[in-house]
Amino acid sequence: MISTVNKLKKTGMVLRPMVSFSAGASGAPTMVKYRNYQTLTVNYRHRGILSRYSPLNRSVPFQNPALHQTRNIGFLVGRILKGALKIRYLLIGGAVGGGISLQRSYEEWRNSLPDSKWLKDLFPSSEKVDSFRGSLMELSSKFRDSLENLDIDPRLKVFGDRKISELRAWFDSRLEDAIQAAEEEGKVTAQGINSGLKLFYLAVDSVSDVIPPVVKAEAFVTATGAEKHEEERKKTENMQQKIDKMQEELMKVQLKYQKELEKLERDNKELRKQLLLRGNSGSANRKIKKSLIDMYSEVLDELCDYDVGYSTHDHLPRVVVVGDQSSGKTSVLEMIAQARIFPRGAGEMMTRAPVKVTLSEGPYHIAQFKDSSREFDLSKESDLSDLRKEVELRMLNSVKHGKTVSSEVISMTVKGPGLQRMVLVDLPGIISTQTTEMESGTREAIRQMTQTYMSNPNAIILCIQDGAVDAERSNVTDLVAQMDPQGKRTIFVLTKVDLAEENLTKPDRIRKILSGKLFPMRALGYFAVVTGRGNKDDSIATIKQYEEHFFSTSKLFNREGLVPSTQVTTKNLSLAVSECFWKMVRETVEQQADAFKATRFNLETEWKNNFPRLRELDRNELFEKARGEILDEVVNLSLVSPKEWEEALMKKLWEKVATYVFENLYLPAAQSDTSGSFNTKIDIRLKQWADQQLPRKSVECAWETLKEEFGRLVEKAKLSKDHDNIFDQLKAAVVDESMRKHQWEDKAAEVLRVIQLNTLEDRSVHDKQQWDSAVQFVERSVIEKLEVTEANLNNLVGPSRTQQWLRWTNATPEQKQHASVKNELERLLFAERNHPPTLSYEELTAARRNLQTNGVDVDNEFIRQTWHHVYRRHFLRKSLSRAYECRKGFWMYHQGLENEQVVDCNDVVLFWRIQQMLKVTANALRQQIMNREARRFEKEIKEVLEVYSQDRDKKEQLLTGRRVQLAEELKRVRQIQEKLEEFIKSLNAEK
């Protein structure tokens, strides 16, 4: 340091030492060992030094051969540039002279031309042109106002256009003849030009006589028409947007009411079931007897749901209708059902989900869905239209998550006179090409679904082939050949044979198809049918008449006798399929019943071994039991005492606002010099806080307290010996969903704001008990903050020496640096007990130098980071000490002598005001919870439970475990076995 000072002195820099003093304990100034140096003046002297190479110091010219050679090259370049400039002057002079001669030649040529002043007499003057233009503008304005709503006769416009084109062609021909004649003569006379102009004027006059005023004004109306067109386009776009918005709202309302209708239908079904049970208990004669096919259809419905849930093999017979897309599958099924019951599309996929149709004989031709009580009268076109719309809607609803096809089965029953009893399943058509509108994997999904249904060894495959397309384009025949290579359960149907007869050049090809020699597959029987004439509005009766007429008059099927008469028409096909179906049912149904009996025995054995003391409750029964327990726990909220509510609310609210009170209120105001300044800052900040943040924080605190109290009741219920942990996941989901939907009343925050403002404005502590309570509140709050600050500081500086010995831990290098900085800052605070919360630049510099002396090199930010925790601990210790001293200060405060006290107790008054605000707020929030919010919360829980009760997927997600699965499977297997036994009993009785 001394050497640096000497160097600076040599350069003319004058230095003065700066010594800082501070007051000691006795009040006398003492010198601190921190030293700093300040620069007072700096004088720089600049001296002009002449180089010995400067031209001013040279007496003899400096001779350099290289420089002389460079100068010669420069002179040569100058001469070349001078010659180039001379050439430029010559070029410019030549151009100017040529221009003058060219101008003189042009003047001579122009003077030699003949005089054309006589043309001025032929053309109108500028005044006439202006008047004519003004009349045209006036005419346009008149027509713009008068012809806005005028409709132009298209015939008149066409006539005018045709007349103009004729006159234009006539004028062009005459003008060409005149020009040609003038060229032959070698000159154009004024008389010829005059006659040509007269012809032009005559043509214009004739056009004016022919064209109506509407056509003349058309040019002026064009702009107005374009503006109207733009306005109409904008109106159309706005109207389309409104229509789209209304359609979206209509769809939402429709879905909402559809859910309500489904709920009502389920309730109605349950009520009918109860009524039937009561009626059966009263009289056995009132029991409704079901038909055999209806009983079998119910078994298939049960098996369908059972198979979806548990992947159990279902080997009961049904007729599976398969074929390529647009091959006529749905039309064949409609002919068998004798009703147009399915939606139709031109070349697009309409069947998106399996449709199970149960056909049975009845006095009336009706259709009904499995989960609906409405009966559609198939003899009325209005009911048929509604049925098709319902089928299409159910298909769209079954397709979820952006998929194109669904495996969800749509089950319906069709009854009517003369219908053959059977169960048919219509599957989506097999496609060879997947379009961009379909989801990826649609083709494979359809093939997989078709293979799954055909893999049932007892399923009858009704293979539909389009006779109007080439046999080589068939996809379904190869698939059927793979699933039933022997053809023991396949019936082949050739559709659209009327079109095949028209287009086929080789009739023998149809003979090969129907005899089973063309396709690689085998079948029990081959049939040819006609399912329509290409008109979707044709009725079934019309199609049947057309089919009978075709086969009776067909050259291929009647005259040449390609196939027997028993292999044509949908009537013969229906009889054959029904006979094959019932034959398969009688052969296999008892085997299926025995398989389910064995399955039931295995499941019951597993339940007895694993859950011997529990009832077999399925998901619906478990959900109802959980619903009761949740509602009981909601009722227990009313049993919480007001004292418990207020204590919990005060604790939660203080946790929310404690940080704000210390950081934004207490700590900044404590730096004030006087008591008045402290109270002024506190009053301003308290009012701002109560106006903006405090009411909202209070509502959040109440909401969290309500959730915690309800969670505490739930956890308390788990400790009881009757608790069933299978409901825990469901209860947690219901509570979370209810809390997410719960919104506190809007007016609650405004009410709290008024109460809190009034409470915080009161600064008078009324009695000694309140003073002691406020002092205790200060002590508890400061001690809590002090413990947190001590923990943060210990983490910052690392373990002490004692902790290092006891816990066998060492401090990191960074922690050691923090510890050194902490010791240095503690010495600074010891020297100045009332130090402000920030360090000055001089103090930072002095601390860095002292640390560098001890071998610790840190920056200012590092020191400030440690200072924050050190000063926080110092401030809290002072506050705690002052709180201890204020325990006996109530008498001075009550006498109004707080300014004369040795110890300042303004912080006690501050915390008393906050404590009173907490009590009043907790009381108001407790009343809101007990009077309003608890009931609203109970209502929201009931709504959530009602929604979950209708959501099967949600139940499967929240009620899990082997116990639930086993109970579900047991219930389903028992129902299937009972229905199968009932069906077998009725089937044997029919024999």
Side-chain angles (χ1 to χ4, degrees), residues 395-407:
M395 284 187 181
L396 293 176
N397 291 336
S398 66
V399 179
K400 301 176 182 178
H401 309 298
K403 295 184 178 180
T404 307
V405 295
S406 171
S407 59

Side-chain angles (χ1 to χ4, degrees), residues 35 139 166 258 267 345 449 530 533 543 639 793 875 964:
R35 293 182 179 273
L139 179 63
E166 292 176 358
Q258 183 178 356
D267 295 340
M449 186 190 306
V530 175
R533 300 183 300 173
I543 297 174
L639 302 179
L793 189 59
F875 172 78
V964 182

Side-chain angles (χ1 to χ4, degrees), residues 101 156 210 216 250 284 290 362 457 500 566 578 583 630 859 922 933 959 989:
S101 62
L156 188 60
V210 173
K216 292 181 182 179
L250 183 61
K290 297 180 181 179
T566 56
S578 177
K583 180 181 178 183
I630 294 174
D859 55 5
E933 300 303 328
L959 294 173

Side-chain angles (χ1 to χ4, degrees), residues 301 304-305 308 353-357 370 394 398 406-412 425 453:
D301 290 337
C304 180
D305 296 339
V308 169
V355 181
K356 183 176 76 68
V357 182
K370 180 190 72 171
R394 286 174 180 258
S398 66
S406 171
S407 59
E408 184 178 342
V409 180
I410 300 173
S411 181
M412 62 186 302
V425 181
Y453 275 87

